[in-house]
Amino acid sequence: MNTALVAALLLVLLGFAYQMGWSRSRSLVTGGSKLHSRPSYHGSLAAIWALLPALLILGLWALLGTTATRAYIIAQLPPEIASLTGADLAGAIARIRQIETGFGVLGETAPWENAAAQALREFRLLTYAVVLAAAAGTGALGLFMARRRITARLRARNEVEGVVRVLLIGCSVVAILTTVGIVASLLSEAIRFFTFVSPVDFFFGTVWNPRFSSVGSGSGDYGLLPLLWGTLMVATIAMIVALPIGLMTAIYLSQYAPPKVRSTVKPIVEVLAGIPTIVYGFFALVTVGPFLAAIGNTLGIDIRATSALTAGVVMGIMIIPFISSLSDDVIRQVPRAMRDGSLGLGATQSETIKRVILPAALPGIVGAFLLAVSRAIGETMIVVLAAGNSPYLRLNPGEPVSTVTVTIVNQLTGDTDFASPQSLVAFALGLTLFAMTLVLNVVALYIVRRYREQYE
Amino acid sequence: MQMPSEKIVASTDLYSMKSSTIRTPDAEARPVRVKAREVCVFYGPKQALFDVSIDIPEKAVTAFIGPSGCGKSTFLRCLNRMNDTIEGARVTGRIELDGDDVYDASLDVVELRARVGMVFQKPNPFPKSIYENIAYGPRIHGLAASKAEMDGIVESSLQKASLWDEVKDRLQEPGTGLSGGQQQRLCIARAIAVSPEVILMDEPCSALDPIATAKIEELIDELRENYTIAIVTHSMQQAARVSQRTAFFHLGNLVEEGPTDQIFTSPAEKRTQDYITGRFG
């Protein structure tokens, strides 16, 4: 169906209906009655009435059209072809569709095929016209009804606002449904994975070695623990870097910095959050990794250039603005009266910060911290490039590690067969990651919400 | 004219200050705790206070009244240097607390604020327990050597603020859970806990209902026996009820100061008269 044409038709209908509702209600005003709603609401209501039935018809066709067309094609086929099943029938139908579009097909076309294609062409043209006419007709009918309803007392504003409310609810439902859908797909694929590998082996296994199917010899080991360990180690190192620096930046910006310095420094710090993570990745790979390795060399410690330490430090730098910006906001939300009260009792500025401001802001800071942790756990590009991709349980942060996110990337890049555990494991890993960040976010939200009540 | 001694409200130098303030000394002179001489305050380029000179006598309540924006709160905040915390504020002139220059570089502002307590317009208890609210000041100044001593300070401060009977059974509950009037008395108790000599109150009742206000006023009257109190208020009735001396500010100038009953019955300045009778403000 020609989408542009349909869209144009709908737009014309919309504009016309609005104009009609508007002018009709205006004429009531000049007729001397006092309108309940302003003319623009009457216009909007008429437009809604005209558009909704038309959209409903089009939506129905979009839902049922394919099935109806398929049924029609089958009805055109000779009985011996129509009685075929599965791939053969689908192939025949596809051939006829191809012929109908005029792109041509492989091999000679049989006369019955040409006939069916011709019939299909007519059928499509007919249904196209019928659907369009039906849409336009119901639209016009809706418009007519709407026009008849227009009186001075019609509560058009209330009705339009009701429709808008439904629309808003619908939009928020989309977000919820998307989440539900993602979880459902993760779950179903993960369950398929668990038919190959038992959950106990997955969650408590200490060896990660998924041999690719081409190598043969069984399906390999899928132990989550080395990956989880790597993830937690990198995230912990990142937080060790980011928390003190970010928090102290926030304290300086909110309590000590003159307004001029603050208004310059804060945006600059926030630029850090806008740098693409892949850039951080090669910054880690090219600069920080060799630098840390050199330091290790001088100190006599063996630090590899790509290691948990490298990835963690760079990730920590990336997270600084999260902590500093969120904490800065939270600290500034502590009422000035608290600060004055403490200063008025003879506390110094640092005593005031330590004993009054930070405790009051603590829940918010914890919330910021947890959000930053969930960000660190889900971070991918930095660890792909800088962590060394080595899925073994190692205590030494100077050694390479692998994380959950890196492993998902590895399992899903290149040739993938979505029926094998090698690929399906990515969904189980994704589910694990999702559960972790979800719990962190829920806890963070809960803490932040409790904090909000405190000063109301 | 008799020559008043150094410790009398109307010390002689007060009359030689450059300003047009009309002053009436008390019939019975009181020793002076705080002396302000030609105090000017600037917020950036804007001057908020012009050459304010006044003596604040001990064991008495001095009320600062005047229309909004007249500088009375600004002046109050000079006395314990709370203006230091405001960006771009600058103070000139001289303020003495028992003869010590408050703005002298050698004077520690922390020590000053322990000697000059402050109660704010809105009750601002810390989001801590009632006990911790009171113990906060003594703890930062190291006033209690033991837990028992701290308990004693907390109890006596709450008693002086006539809050003890209401909260003695729930000292560990958050101070923010008290009613507005109780919170303000908690803040007064918190200020008392560091044993200040002077207590500054910046419209302490403006956020409270009449019953809570009456309680605070009663409390102020009791505190007068041991402390030097300066109070900023918008309520003329309150000034008349609680204070012994009243100072009227207008547009950053100290217009008139004198015994409260004299200011309210026979003000010498027309502007004072107009404000008190409600002609402007």
Side-chain angles (χ1 to χ4, degrees), chain B residues 11-171:
Chain B
S11 35
T12 44
D13 66 325
L14 203 51
Y15 291 90
S16 57
M17 293 295 133
K18 60 168 181 191
S19 74
S20 53
T21 309
I22 297 172
R23 304 171 194 279
T24 317
D26 281 333
E28 195 185 327
R30 294 186 175 90
V32 173
R33 237 6 198 309
V34 178
K35 278 184 182 179
R37 294 293 178 268
E38 292 178 348
V39 173
C40 298
V41 176
F42 302 83
Y43 291 127
K46 188 176 160 283
Q47 189 166 3
L49 220 51
F50 300 86
D51 296 313
V52 173
S53 302
I54 192 173
D55 284 345
I56 296 173
E58 82 170 9
K59 296 189 179 173
V61 177
T62 305
F64 298 159
I65 61 168
S68 299
C70 67
K72 54 192 190 304
S73 286
T74 299
F75 179 66
L76 192 77
R77 292 169 68 92
C78 288
L79 302 181
N80 69 343
R81 291 181 56 177
M82 280 304 278
N83 280 331
D84 291 13
T85 66
I86 294 170
E87 205 69 42
R90 192 162 55 84
V91 180
T92 64
R94 189 178 168 82
I95 296 174
E96 284 178 16
L97 173 64
D98 291 335
D100 301 333
D101 184 356
V102 163
Y103 279 86
D104 189 77
S106 66
L107 186 127
D108 186 10
V109 70
V110 165
E111 193 198 329
L112 169 72
R113 288 181 189 149
R115 287 167 68 185
V116 183
M118 187 155 194
V119 176
F120 296 83
Q121 193 167 353
K122 240 182 98 191
N124 59 347
F126 302 130
K128 301 170 184 282
S129 70
I130 293 170
Y131 185 96
E132 283 301 317
N133 262 284
I134 308 291
Y136 183 83
R139 199 163 278 157
I140 53 177
H141 295 295
L143 298 183
S146 65
K147 172 89 171 79
E149 217 172 310
M150 184 63 85
D151 290 349
I153 293 178
V154 170
E155 178 171 347
S156 73
S157 306
L158 283 169
Q159 251 156 4
K160 281 183 203 155
S162 29
L163 191 60
W164 174 252
D165 292 331
E166 289 160 64
V167 301
K168 63 175 178 229
D169 299 322
R170 43 175 177 149
L171 290 176

